Amino acid sequence: MLYLSHPACLEHDPREGLPGHPERPERLRAIEAALAAHEWLGWERRESPAASTEELELVHPGAHVERIRDLCSAGGGAIDADTFAGEASWEAALRSAGAACEMTRALLRGETEVGFAAGRPPGHHAEPERAMGFCLFDNVAVAAALAIAELGIERVFILDWDVHHGNGTAEIFRERADVLFASIHQGGIFPGTGAREETGSGRGEGLTINRPVPAGSDEGVWLPLLEDELLPAAAAFEPQLVLISAGFDAHRDDPLAECRLETASFARMAGLVRAAAANWGAPVGAVLEGGYDLDALADSVVATMAALGGEAS
Ligand SMILES: [Zn+2]
């Protein structure tokens, strides 16, 4: 069990340009304080390397990478009403993507069967050529693309349980036959994509699965979707690697959305994924996305890691 992060991920602070921004360094501090209080659940901790430009360019055109680098080196600024990059955000973004990449390398080297990449900024809203929704680069997508391009993997299953649709990841892999992207998210909120009818296109037709759920949905809605629809579809895809876009903003205490998962719901989802992946012989890596109530976030990450590591929930 391997946990990856880097101190530079604490230096990215959107509040420098967007006061009151919820995606704040305290999120990662709360996670790590809670993990420390649980003696890190026995997980190995490792500092993430910086993702290379070549890795980022597996899913983002070079012009996008350059734009972010130039913005940061010029002192930074708001990219849109939600998304900010400051001077320190460049290194944070590289370490955040690098955490997902290094976790994936460790999983595929067989060093560990489960991992958690706790970087920030998050990633799943970043489109190929556009930072948005607090995200600069799509960390989970970079890691999936790396696994396929360089680590000998042919099929990756990305499960996105953040309460928001992972539009960036969906767009990046929409036409690809080697990534199955499945998302449960609250319908009708940011970013507005993720309709059930969006199923992928071209060679990727059928390999995008969106399950929008209404406000108020609790685990009675979420767990059957995962167990009865998404995991069977993933089983048929025969993935060799499972990556979770692990946001925790579907928690009932989260201020940004209106779903009603409990802390234990995340453990149940993680346990279902872990058990399924064990049947497929695939390792599982979680990549941190959203989650904005500090206590709910920290407790849910601990519960998720405990379940991934095989502890009963
Ligand atoms: Zn989210």
Side-chain angles (χ1 to χ4, degrees):
M1 296 103 77
L2 177 63
Y3 173 93
L4 285 128
S5 190
H6 192 280
C9 293
L10 296 165
E11 303 301 319
H12 164 69
D13 193 344
R15 295 172 301 188
E16 290 169 20
L18 299 167
H21 201 288
E23 204 292 283
R24 55 211 192 276
E26 286 83 352
R27 298 178 59 236
L28 188 50
R29 291 189 203 284
I31 289 169
E32 299 202 334
L35 285 167
H38 289 82
E39 295 173 347
W40 293 85
L41 303 166
W43 287 44
E44 179 191 342
R45 297 160 63 194
R46 207 178 286 174
E47 284 197 352
S48 59
S52 66
T53 300
E54 291 72 22
E55 287 165 347
L56 298 177
E57 288 182 0
L58 290 169
V59 304
H60 296 288
H64 173 71
V65 177
E66 272 173 41
R67 261 198 310 275
I68 300 296
R69 181 170 49 215
D70 290 349
L71 174 64
C72 294
S73 64
I79 295 169
D80 61 28
D82 299 319
T83 313
F84 173 86
E87 205 164 356
S89 301
W90 175 247
E91 184 69 14
L94 296 187
R95 300 289 179 172
S96 189
C101 289
E102 182 64 13
M103 174 185 73
T104 297
R105 280 188 289 264
L107 290 169
L108 296 177
R109 279 194 300 255
E111 288 175 36
T112 175
E113 290 182 1
V114 294
F116 196 100
R120 48 179 300 282
H124 72 151
H125 294 307
E127 295 184 339
E129 299 188 67
R130 182 160 72 128
M132 63 177 276
F134 315 168
C135 305
L136 304 178
F137 303 122
D138 192 332
N139 307 312
V140 77
V142 172
L146 175 72
I148 292 164
E150 295 180 18
L151 303 174
I153 290 297
E154 294 176 349
R155 293 176 306 282
V156 180
F157 171 43
I158 300 177
L159 170 66
D160 188 324
W161 76 36
D162 189 280
V163 80
H164 304 98
H165 180 241
N167 59 292
T169 313
E171 175 61 23
I172 286 165
F173 297 117
R174 184 164 53 91
E175 297 187 353
R176 285 179 60 159
D178 45 14
V179 174
L180 172 64
F181 174 77
S183 174
I184 308 174
H185 47 272
Q186 184 178 327
I189 61 171
F190 184 89
T193 49
R196 198 180 167 100
E197 293 73 26
E198 297 168 16
T199 56
S201 58
R203 297 185 64 232
E205 177 61 48
L207 296 179
T208 297
I209 304 175
N210 289 314
R211 289 295 179 268
V213 299
S217 294
D218 61 12
E219 69 173 33
V221 173
W222 282 65
L223 292 177
L225 286 176
L226 178 62
E227 191 165 16
D228 301 335
E229 299 191 39
L230 304 192
L231 292 177
F237 183 67
E238 299 183 341
Q240 298 159 296
L241 170 68
V242 178
L243 296 174
I244 303 171
S245 250
F248 298 90
D249 39 12
H251 195 287
R252 63 185 304 146
D253 292 340
D254 196 273
L256 265 58
E258 293 85 31
C259 280
R260 303 188 63 80
L261 296 187
E262 308 281 348
T263 298
S265 307
F266 292 99
R268 293 186 184 107
M269 291 200 293
L272 288 170
V273 174
R274 178 80 177 95
N279 282 335
W280 309 329
V284 180
V287 180
L288 180 65
E289 302 286 0
Y292 304 97
D293 178 86
L294 296 183
D295 290 338
L297 170 65
D299 291 346
S300 299
V301 169
V302 171
T304 294
M305 285 173 56
L308 287 178
E311 290 181 28
S313 56

